[in-house]
Amino acid sequence: MLLRRRYDLPLDRDGAARLVPWIVALMSYLAAVALAAGLALGVLAWRWSEGVSSAITVLLPPLGDGAAANSEDPRIAQARQALADLPGVGAVQALDPAQVARRLEPWLGAGTGVGELPLPRLLIVRVSGPRRPDTAELRQRMDRVAPGAVVDDHGTWRAEIARLAMRIMALSGFAVALIALAGAAVVVFAVRSGLAIHRDTIEVLHLIGAHDDYIARQFQNHTARLAFAGGLISLVLLGLTEAFLYHAALSLDPTLMPRLDLQPWQWVLLGATPGVLVFAGMMGIAGATAKRTVRRALARMV
Amino acid sequence: MSGGGAFVRFEQVGFSYGDGPEVLHDVSFDLEPGTFHFLTGPSGAGKTSLLKLLYLAQRQTRGAIRLFGRDTASLSRLEAPVVRRRIGVVFQDFRLLPHLSAFDNVALPLRVASVGEAQIRQHVGELLAWVGLADALDARPATLSGGEQQRLAIARAVVARPDLLVADEPTGNVDDHNAQRMMRLFQNAHHYGATVVVATHNAALVERYNYPQLHLEAGKLSILPAAGSA
């Protein structure tokens, strides 16, 4: 019914109206991409934050001269023992120097002799249970085992990530709001142009007894129909973009960038949610803007 | 038909377009329900302006107009369309909608009044047959002759059975045969109960049909009774 409808006004013939589906498609696509990017980055930040908050990193300074890098470090066992009865502490994983070197490779490059450097020993302390370990206590115990040990509970990271996620989401919302405003402006322009073109016909409709709402509804339905067509185009574009991003995401190096590990259905949901939201939003904005614009203009006519 | 109050009453009505000179001065008259009047006068006398006031296309600049017992100055935007639906208008230039078929043009007053499609099909079909356009349901106005367009405009004006039928120079551009045919359509509408006002400067037509005249000269109105009446 929305796609095929009889209009008393020849709105289909308006030049300006013909552009509306394409402009709406572009705007909807941009808005959906902004929203999806905001959502994806939000999810990513949340996962990242969850990841870092589930562990505490302890750096034991390198042993002094003469100690072989790959020899057994007695401080590891002492640290395990010191942490054993600390509430909130789960498994303690000690990375050997080779593992630490591998973690540094993406930044320092392979074959640069990272393994020859005096590297600190890295302990990853898993957080267990609902209560996080007392970081101050943990720091004291590690200091006793290895003076100068660095304990990082990633608190700063977590706060930064949360702040970043909030800013990204807010920015994405702001972008969507701007795009919606631009979409509304396009509709206002197209509707005003239609009103000017069909002024005589509108006057005839008025004179034979049409209410403002009768005329405004025709513009509203017509504009919503154009927005619907634009929305469909944007959904197709969005699907193609997601397919591209899905494959691009699979090839990301997880040591450099946190991966957005989503199931295919989650990818669909990630694209469909903003797509459908923007689609419905654009239809609503277009229809309501058209109706309001027409009613305001008609109020100045006979 | 009219309810309480005057059916149509103009009281000391003056009218001007914007800041221009006044084209109607102190026009006063009453129309009783079921009457037929010619609106006569030379070109530029103000006939079209008076009709525009009558079918609410313009608002008077002074004086008072009452239609069907309502003061038109107090009509809201919601009320005005309801009053307009009681008025059928045959415009001087027909003002048919070129993109719509003959059927849809005639159906328009019923559609704006939210009449059901089944009823519309029946009424419009009858109306088009009445004006001799039964075979032109799907024709666009541009494909019709001048006389056919005029009859189509009359069909549109009367399809909603208006209480007041107003025609602005309907016989201006047609031959005598078509002019008489049109007058018979107006007379039919009159017999069905409509109050009719036909603006014309065709003296022969006025003489032949012998209805009272609202006569305008330079914006001033006088009422001329039908010949033979008291």
Side-chain angles (χ1 to χ4, degrees):
Chain A
M1 184 171 177
L2 188 69
L3 288 172
R4 187 105 188 123
R5 197 182 168 90
R6 187 191 58 75
Y7 296 111
D8 298 330
L9 297 159
L11 299 171
D12 283 328
R13 299 177 194 175
D14 295 357
R18 282 192 203 131
L19 286 175
V20 169
W22 297 103
I23 295 172
V24 167
L26 191 66
M27 301 250 174
S28 301
Y29 172 72
L30 292 175
V33 165
L35 205 57
L39 275 176
L41 288 171
V43 169
L44 201 63
W46 175 77
R47 285 194 169 191
W48 206 2
S49 173
E50 282 290 297
V52 295
S53 60
S54 66
I56 294 169
T57 308
V58 178
L59 280 170
L60 305 180
L63 288 168
D65 292 345
N70 54 0
S71 62
E72 187 57 43
D73 187 336
R75 297 174 303 173
I76 305 288
Q78 291 165 19
R80 285 185 198 278
Q81 200 176 351
L83 295 174
D85 63 339
L86 188 64
V89 169
V92 176
Q93 181 194 0
L95 301 188
D96 62 37
Q99 286 174 310
V100 175
R102 263 203 305 282
R103 292 202 168 202
L104 289 172
E105 261 180 15
W107 281 272
L108 300 179
T112 52
V114 180
E116 306 304 318
L117 296 171
L119 297 175
R121 295 302 298 267
L122 199 61
L123 299 180
I124 296 172
V125 181
R126 295 286 163 200
V127 174
S128 169
R131 203 175 134 218
R132 288 181 66 79
D134 179 347
T135 311
E137 173 64 23
L138 196 150
R139 196 168 278 131
Q140 272 182 11
R141 291 188 186 192
M142 288 301 97
D143 208 42
R144 282 199 290 274
V145 170
V150 176
V151 174
D152 185 0
D153 68 351
H154 312 297
T156 313
W157 268 104
R158 278 185 283 127
E160 284 294 327
I161 291 169
R163 201 174 302 128
L164 181 68
M166 286 301 294
R167 283 177 182 171
I168 288 169
M169 302 276 264
L171 197 64
S172 124
F174 181 64
V176 171
L178 281 184
I179 292 167
L181 271 179
V186 168
V187 168
V188 168
F189 168 76
V191 167
R192 282 190 181 161
S193 154
L195 281 166
I197 292 168
H198 304 297
R199 193 181 174 87
D200 281 349
T201 306
I202 290 168
E203 193 177 293
V204 170
L205 289 175
H206 263 153
L207 293 177
I208 62 174
H211 275 117
D212 289 353
D213 265 358
Y214 178 89
I215 297 163
R217 246 193 330 267
Q218 303 216 0
F219 276 92
Q220 181 185 19
N221 291 338
H222 177 67
T223 311
R225 192 170 62 92
L226 296 178
F228 182 80
L232 287 183
I233 297 170
S234 82
L235 283 181
V236 171
L237 288 176
L238 198 62
L240 292 174
T241 306
E242 269 226 89
F244 170 77
L245 287 176
Y246 174 68
H247 289 290
L250 288 181
S251 61
L252 267 182
D253 182 351
T255 56
L256 280 174
M257 292 279 291
R259 280 225 334 225
L260 188 60
D261 286 324
L262 297 178
Q263 298 297 316
W265 68 267
Q266 289 175 309
W267 277 96
V268 171
L269 198 65
L270 186 67
T273 305
V276 170
L277 277 176
V278 168
F279 185 103
M282 273 293 181
M283 290 258 297
I285 288 172
T289 305
K291 189 173 182 182
R292 187 177 160 80
T293 308
V294 174
R295 290 192 63 159
R296 284 170 69 112
L298 294 183
R300 293 191 288 271
M301 291 175 74
V302 290
Chain B
M1 187 188 290
S2 62
F7 187 74
V8 175
R9 173 168 291 167
F10 274 51
E11 292 177 87
Q12 301 293 308
V13 170
F15 175 69
S16 55
Y17 290 96
D19 296 329
E22 200 169 67
V23 293
L24 294 174
H25 318 288
D26 299 320
V27 170
S28 298
F29 66 91
D30 281 0
L31 292 181
E32 294 302 323
T35 54
F36 195 125
H37 285 81
F38 281 119
L39 176 60
T40 58
S43 295
K47 297 190 295 294
T48 298
S49 300
L50 191 147
L51 290 185
K52 282 182 175 175
L53 294 178
L54 206 49
Y55 58 74
L56 299 179
Q58 296 285 354
R59 295 282 168 108
Q60 73 274 24
T61 42
R62 61 188 176 82
I65 298 174
R66 294 185 74 81
L67 288 178
F68 319 120
R70 296 290 311 270
D71 181 354
T72 59
S74 67
L75 291 175
S76 68
R77 283 198 76 77
L78 277 178
E79 292 168 326
V82 179
V83 173
R84 284 185 181 125
R85 287 175 198 168
R86 297 180 66 181
I87 306 168
V89 186
V90 181
F91 300 100
Q92 190 169 16
D93 49 359
F94 319 141
R95 303 188 76 171
L96 297 165
L97 305 193
H99 58 284
L100 296 184
S101 66
F103 180 94
D104 285 332
N105 263 287
V106 176
L108 220 43
L110 300 177
R111 288 205 169 111
V112 302
S114 305
V115 174
E117 280 299 317
Q119 216 175 330
I120 287 175
R121 272 195 296 278
Q122 184 195 338
H123 283 230
V124 174
E126 283 171 9
L127 244 298
L128 283 170
W130 178 62
V131 297
L133 293 172
D135 297 331
L137 296 183
D138 297 322
R140 294 280 188 275
T143 65
L144 300 174
S145 70
E148 287 171 328
Q149 288 185 30
Q150 247 153 344
R151 280 183 274 139
L152 190 60
I154 293 171
R156 184 179 68 185
V158 301
V159 70
R161 292 186 176 274
D163 294 324
L164 176 62
L165 177 60
V166 175
D168 192 1
E169 300 280 6
T171 59
N173 296 312
V174 293
D175 57 34
D176 194 50
H177 169 73
N178 270 313
Q180 290 197 43
R181 190 172 181 179
M182 242 166 280
M183 277 305 295
R184 279 198 294 276
L185 294 177
F186 290 128
Q187 285 180 313
N188 275 339
H190 179 225
H191 288 143
Y192 281 117
T195 301
V196 182
V197 178
V198 176
T200 182
H201 57 252
N202 185 335
L205 200 73
V206 174
E207 204 171 307
R208 184 180 303 142
Y209 287 93
N210 197 26
Y211 289 116
Q213 298 173 48
L214 304 169
H215 185 73
L216 275 170
E217 284 280 348
K220 287 194 170 292
L221 185 98
S222 54
I223 298 171
L224 309 176
S229 62

